[in-house]
Amino acid sequence: MSTHSDLAAGEKSDSKGDGTNVWTETQTAVGTLHPEEPSYYDKSLSYTQEEENAVIRILDTRLFPAVLLTTFVLNMDRTNLSNAISDGLPADLGFTINTVNTATAVYSVVFSLAAFSGALIAKIVGPSRWIPILMAAWGIVTLSHAAIKNTAGYFCVRIFIALTEGGVIPSALIYMGGFYKGAELTTRLAWFWGIQSIANAVSGLMASGLLQLRGRGGLEGWKWLFLVDGIITMVVSCFIWFYLPRSAVKTAGASRQIQIAVTRVIRDDESKQQYEKRVTRADLKDSARDLALWGHLLLTALVLTPTQPLGTYLPTVIKSFHFNVFVSNALTAPPYILQCIAMVLVSWHSGRTGDRALHGAFGCTGIGKLVGWIILRTMPSSAPRGVKYFGAVIVASWPYNHPLNVGWMSENTGSVGKRTIASGAVIFAGNVYGTWASQIYQAQDAPDFRTGNSINIAFAAAATLMWIIQRQYYRHLNKVHARKYAALTVEEREEEDSRADELGNRSLRFRFRT
């Protein structure tokens, strides 16, 4: 199961022998879209743990880094807004941070709708094609930030950036689900969101240098920031277009490695045998009636709401501690790097123990979120700037537990169609919260934002409680399924077993992970 580098060495990659570079083809299925092609799934296939580990290493070293690159570039662009605000973007365009908040609310709604629809489009077009198309589109919009001259232009650009960026994350989630088992995906999702923290750090460091170009070419420093980021995005989108395979079947690997790659994922989740299946009306209806899915969406909104204010204004908040704009942006790097480390460690331990809820609750309380907000809320205005910065670091470096929630939800959805809807829905929930979260920090509450931080404390506490509620609900469902299944006759059990794939997590055989 080799990769693009092998093709560069002159190897033929098409199983039919025509020499086609299959890394430029498009496919969304774990198996195959065309019945004349081999599915590679073998129910009786036997392989050693060493062979499976070799396949995982190939995925982790040759495929996964390309996926991480897409989200790295995405978050560099999203973080640039906070860097631009610290450089005086609102004043340059003639408005205050309250206008920024309103634009952020609009952005959140549009981004959320684009995320939900993007998951569905990815199933039709194929994630390996849809992702680079979106990247190229938002690269163009990012470049257009340099042409903004007023409030109307600012709103226009933020709406289009939301439309083009929204579908990337759900598409990537669907894509990764075709290569990794459920338990493996949790740790990879931690890296997926962890690399976003690294992107935040890199963006802050870039901003500390690029913002010093203010006046060059008659442009503000923040416009140079968007220009450089747009160019980077366009270059990466071209690379991703030619590099990402559509599925394990469409790689240049040995037949046995492809068989192992496909078979192991389907054995972990039999619904992935039909990974190319389109979303149906029944999937939509089933998802709408799933209280557990709604629980994950509520959990998403509660967990992420307190992240919005500081995510938008962290450089500005640090600047209020009497650092200059260049140092302020550079000082955003350490907490984001610490956040990545904490997130990966917590998710890794969650994967080892099989626990999701308690690890998620710990992320809300233990290392930063709830405790950090309390520190910022109670710290006196006269505190030394080093102490204030320490408080901001504690908040910003909390172990981001959204990947745990997404992985937990994915494990418990039970069918490909429903998982597709859930992926779009959770990204929708993971951005629509910005409509209210964007209003937490107000201009009249600056620079200490005591009222805003009180609101953040309430949301962090509610999120902690919701992790426990979701866990208890899944335990309740498992007891109900076990009791009802035990009460079935032999004939009824055979019927229930035969419909397990069709019923997904409504099957009495299904056991939810907690």
Side-chain angles (χ1 to χ4, degrees), residues 303 307 339 342-343 346-347 355-373 394-395 397-402 404 460 463-464 467:
V303 164
T307 70
Q339 183 186 67
M343 184 194 325
V346 170
S347 297
D355 171 82
R356 303 291 180 261
L358 296 182
H359 284 75
F362 171 78
C364 286
T365 58
I367 300 179
K369 196 174 181 186
L370 183 56
V371 173
W373 288 123
I394 291 177
V395 173
S397 61
W398 69 284
Y400 191 62
N401 49 19
H402 185 49
L404 277 178
T464 303
W467 279 102

Side-chain angles (χ1 to χ4, degrees), residues 297-335:
L297 301 184
L298 176 58
L299 181 58
T300 297
L302 291 175
V303 164
L304 295 181
T305 291
T307 70
Q308 173 76 45
L310 208 59
T312 303
Y313 296 113
L314 180 58
T316 303
V317 168
I318 296 176
K319 184 180 176 183
S320 74
F321 301 159
H322 305 296
F323 294 102
N324 68 45
V325 64
F326 312 120
V327 173
S328 299
N329 280 278
L331 286 176
T332 63

Side-chain angles (χ1 to χ4, degrees), residues 62-83:
R62 303 180 188 179
L63 175 75
F64 191 49
V67 178
L68 292 181
L69 181 59
T70 65
T71 191
F72 179 88
V73 174
L74 170 67
N75 227 56
M76 276 187 59
D77 180 82
R78 297 178 74 180
T79 306
N80 275 343
L81 178 61
S82 65
N83 304 132

Side-chain angles (χ1 to χ4, degrees), residues 137-151:
W138 96 60
I140 293 172
V141 180
T142 299
L143 291 172
S144 69
H145 278 73
I148 300 175
K149 296 185 181 300
N150 51 39
T151 303

Side-chain angles (χ1 to χ4, degrees), residues 29-322:
V30 169
T32 174
L33 285 176
H34 306 291
E36 68 272 12
E37 294 179 350
S39 70
Y40 286 98
Y41 171 56
D42 184 351
K43 184 179 292 187
S44 61
L45 182 66
S46 176
Y47 50 86
T48 66
Q49 185 62 52
E50 288 73 17
E51 287 181 302
E52 183 176 12
N53 289 342
V55 169
I56 296 173
R57 279 195 299 272
I58 292 173
L59 294 174
D60 285 344
T61 58
R62 303 180 188 179
L63 175 75
F64 191 49
V67 178
L68 292 181
L69 181 59
T70 65
T71 191
F72 179 88
V73 174
L74 170 67
N75 227 56
M76 276 187 59
D77 180 82
R78 297 178 74 180
T79 306
N80 275 343
L81 178 61
S82 65
N83 304 132
I85 292 171
S86 72
D87 188 47
L89 178 148
D92 289 337
L93 298 179
F95 50 76
T96 69
I97 67 168
N98 290 346
T99 300
V100 173
N101 292 343
T102 302
T104 300
V106 174
Y107 168 92
S108 298
V109 173
V110 176
F111 189 102
S112 302
L113 294 172
F116 187 75
S117 61
L120 303 181
I121 296 173
K123 291 294 291 183
I124 299 172
V125 179
S128 61
R129 277 295 180 261
W130 189 228
I131 291 171
I133 288 173
L134 289 175
M135 290 184 70
W138 96 60
I140 293 172
V141 180
T142 299
L143 291 172
S144 69
H145 278 73
I148 300 175
K149 296 185 181 300
N150 51 39
T151 303
Y154 178 73
F155 271 85
C156 181
V157 168
R158 298 314 295 172
I159 289 172
F160 276 100
I161 204 75
L163 280 172
T164 52
E165 289 180 345
V168 174
I169 294 178
S171 299
L173 297 181
I174 293 169
Y175 185 68
M176 287 190 292
F179 292 90
Y180 290 105
K181 295 180 181 179
E184 296 166 353
L185 198 56
T186 299
T187 304
R188 273 72 185 179
L189 287 178
W191 279 108
F192 182 78
W193 268 281
I195 203 69
Q196 294 185 11
S197 298
I198 298 299
N200 293 342
V202 172
S203 181
L205 294 173
M206 285 179 57
S208 68
L210 290 173
L211 294 180
Q212 298 184 51
L213 294 177
R214 174 176 282 268
R216 298 286 181 89
L219 298 178
E220 295 84 351
W222 56 267
K223 288 187 177 182
W224 279 108
L225 192 62
F226 284 113
L227 283 173
V228 171
D229 186 63
I231 293 171
I232 292 173
T233 301
M234 296 294 291
V235 172
V236 173
S237 69
C238 293
F239 166 73
I240 294 299
W241 174 272
F242 291 103
Y243 190 81
L244 284 185
R246 195 168 182 181
S247 75
V249 171
K250 291 296 184 179
T251 63
S255 177
R256 178 166 176 79
Q257 287 184 319
I258 295 176
Q259 276 190 303
I260 294 172
V262 171
T263 300
R264 73 186 202 92
V265 172
I266 293 176
R267 284 179 180 173
D268 180 64
D269 183 350
E270 291 185 2
S271 67
K272 291 181 180 179
Q273 191 171 359
Q274 298 178 328
Y275 213 64
E276 74 277 10
K277 178 184 175 183
R278 301 289 186 254
V279 174
T280 65
R281 185 176 298 177
D283 293 322
L284 289 168
K285 186 177 181 181
D286 185 21
S287 300
R289 295 186 301 179
D290 192 333
L291 289 180
L293 175 56
W294 284 103
H296 282 292
L297 301 184
L298 176 58
L299 181 58
T300 297
L302 291 175
V303 164
L304 295 181
T305 291
T307 70
Q308 173 76 45
L310 208 59
T312 303
Y313 296 113
L314 180 58
T316 303
V317 168
I318 296 176
K319 184 180 176 183
S320 74
F321 301 159
H322 305 296

